[in-house]
């Protein structure tokens, strides 16, 4: 069994068990500790940036969007509220169930996103935009390349990815154990060099359109939009 396969199994098991409870709290609005509150703030910055990009384009209503690695629906729900046609997935069945419940509560008049439990490589269909936020951190570079290639095959006009950037500072932070601190961290954390992500996208025929960096004390995420 390869390391990449091990990572997928670890991620699935973690987010169906202890990780589910932890991240459901972080992505909610209840009481959390200082570190979790900081991560919540950073993650929300990434969500807000993506929504601002899409809303600025003025064509979000009716747009077909795949939210790959949707978690508890932090992005899927506001996309649906803005009128997008959202297909959302997550490797964790528990996360998908939570996202569905939150969507029903937030969108009483519907329509709600279509949710499914699936790993990224098993996704099918064609979408105007494919978005994958804060997922690549769980996978090494060789695995990430294949995942990006598959996500690219689903997208007609745009791919939006976020990843933890590989810089000297963040590499040092990870090395000393400050990366996603706390007793509940149970998955490996992988950093990716921006040039490597860009190279993969450009080799697949994409042009980098917009970039952003969202960071707090314990959260850092580089955001890239690629278009055709």
């Amino acid at each position: 069994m390869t390391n990449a396969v091990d990572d997928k199994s670890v991620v699935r098991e973690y987010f169906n068990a202890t990780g589910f409870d932890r991240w459901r709290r972080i992505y909610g609005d209840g009481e959390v500790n200082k570190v979790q509150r900081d991560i919540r703030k950073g993650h929300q910055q990434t969500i807000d940036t993506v929504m601002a990009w899409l809303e600025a384009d003025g064509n979000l209503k009716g747009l077909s969007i795949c939210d790959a690695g949707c978690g508890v629906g932090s992005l899927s729900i506001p996309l649906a509220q803005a009128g997008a046609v959202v297909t959302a997935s997550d490797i964790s069945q528990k996360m998908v169930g939570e996202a569905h419940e939150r969507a029903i509560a937030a969108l009483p008049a519907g329509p709600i996103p279509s949710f499914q439990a699936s790993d990224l490589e098993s996704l099918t269909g064609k979408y105007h935009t494919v978005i994958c936020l804060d997922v690549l951190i769980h996978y090494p570079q060789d695995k990430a390349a294949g995942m990006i290639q598959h996500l690219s095959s689903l997208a007609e006009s745009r791919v939006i990815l976020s990843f933890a950037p590989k810089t000297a500072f963040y590499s040092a932070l990870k090395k000393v154990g400050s990366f996603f601190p706390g007793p509940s961290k149970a998955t490996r954390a992988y950093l990716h060099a921006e040039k490597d992500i860009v190279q993969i996208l450009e080799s697949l025929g994409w042009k980098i359109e917009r970039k952003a960096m969202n960071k707090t004390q314990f959260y850092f995420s580089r955001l890239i939009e690629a278009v055709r």
Side-chain angles (χ1 to χ4, degrees):
M1 180 178 290
T2 66
N3 186 49
V5 173
D6 285 342
D7 283 305
K8 184 188 291 188
S9 298
V10 168
V11 171
R12 180 185 291 108
E13 292 170 8
Y14 173 65
F15 283 104
N16 274 321
T18 56
F20 169 70
D21 293 325
R22 181 184 190 226
W23 291 97
R24 178 178 57 177
R25 290 195 303 273
I26 291 175
Y27 294 152
D29 54 11
E31 283 296 316
V32 290
N33 63 39
K34 180 181 177 180
V35 172
Q36 292 171 334
R37 185 164 56 252
D38 181 85
I39 294 172
R40 175 191 289 173
K41 178 182 177 182
H43 177 72
Q44 189 59 49
Q45 288 177 5
T46 295
I47 298 297
D48 291 344
T49 300
V50 172
M51 288 301 301
W53 284 356
L54 300 185
E55 289 170 345
D57 291 342
N59 64 341
L60 190 50
K61 188 174 179 63
L63 208 66
S64 62
I65 298 178
C66 172
D67 181 11
C70 66
V72 296
S74 303
L75 177 64
S76 296
I77 292 170
L79 284 174
Q81 289 172 325
V85 180
V86 183
T87 299
S89 65
D90 197 274
I91 196 170
S92 164
Q93 181 66 57
K94 279 195 171 184
M95 284 290 189
V96 168
E98 178 72 14
H100 188 259
E101 290 181 8
R102 292 189 183 194
I104 290 174
L107 296 155
I112 66 171
S114 171
F115 292 103
Q116 61 175 307
S118 173
D119 60 59
L120 299 188
E121 295 93 333
S122 300
L123 296 177
T124 61
K126 285 290 184 180
Y127 310 90
H128 177 281
T129 296
V130 173
I131 304 174
C132 184
L133 303 182
D134 295 350
V135 172
L136 296 180
I137 191 173
H138 301 297
Y139 300 95
Q141 183 64 28
D142 59 341
K143 185 65 173 177
M147 295 168 76
I148 293 172
Q149 183 174 5
H150 183 67
L151 292 173
S152 171
S153 73
L154 307 177
E156 296 175 337
S157 300
R158 175 169 51 197
V159 174
I160 298 177
L161 303 173
S162 75
F163 56 95
K166 188 174 185 178
T167 65
F169 174 74
Y170 291 135
S171 294
L173 188 65
K174 178 178 182 288
K175 190 173 183 179
V176 299
S178 298
F179 195 79
F180 280 176
S184 296
K185 66 174 183 180
T187 64
R188 301 176 180 96
Y190 295 97
L191 308 182
H192 298 282
E194 181 177 332
K195 64 179 179 59
D196 293 336
I197 300 298
V198 169
Q199 183 177 29
I200 294 169
L201 288 167
E202 290 181 341
S203 73
L204 295 169
W206 297 97
K207 175 187 175 183
I208 306 305
E209 184 75 9
R210 288 179 279 205
K211 296 181 181 180
M213 179 71 191
N214 294 299
K215 58 182 179 178
T216 58
Q217 185 176 359
F218 298 107
Y219 175 96
F220 33 97
S221 184
R222 185 65 160 155
L223 194 61
I224 289 181
E225 176 192 48
V227 300
R228 282 181 174 147

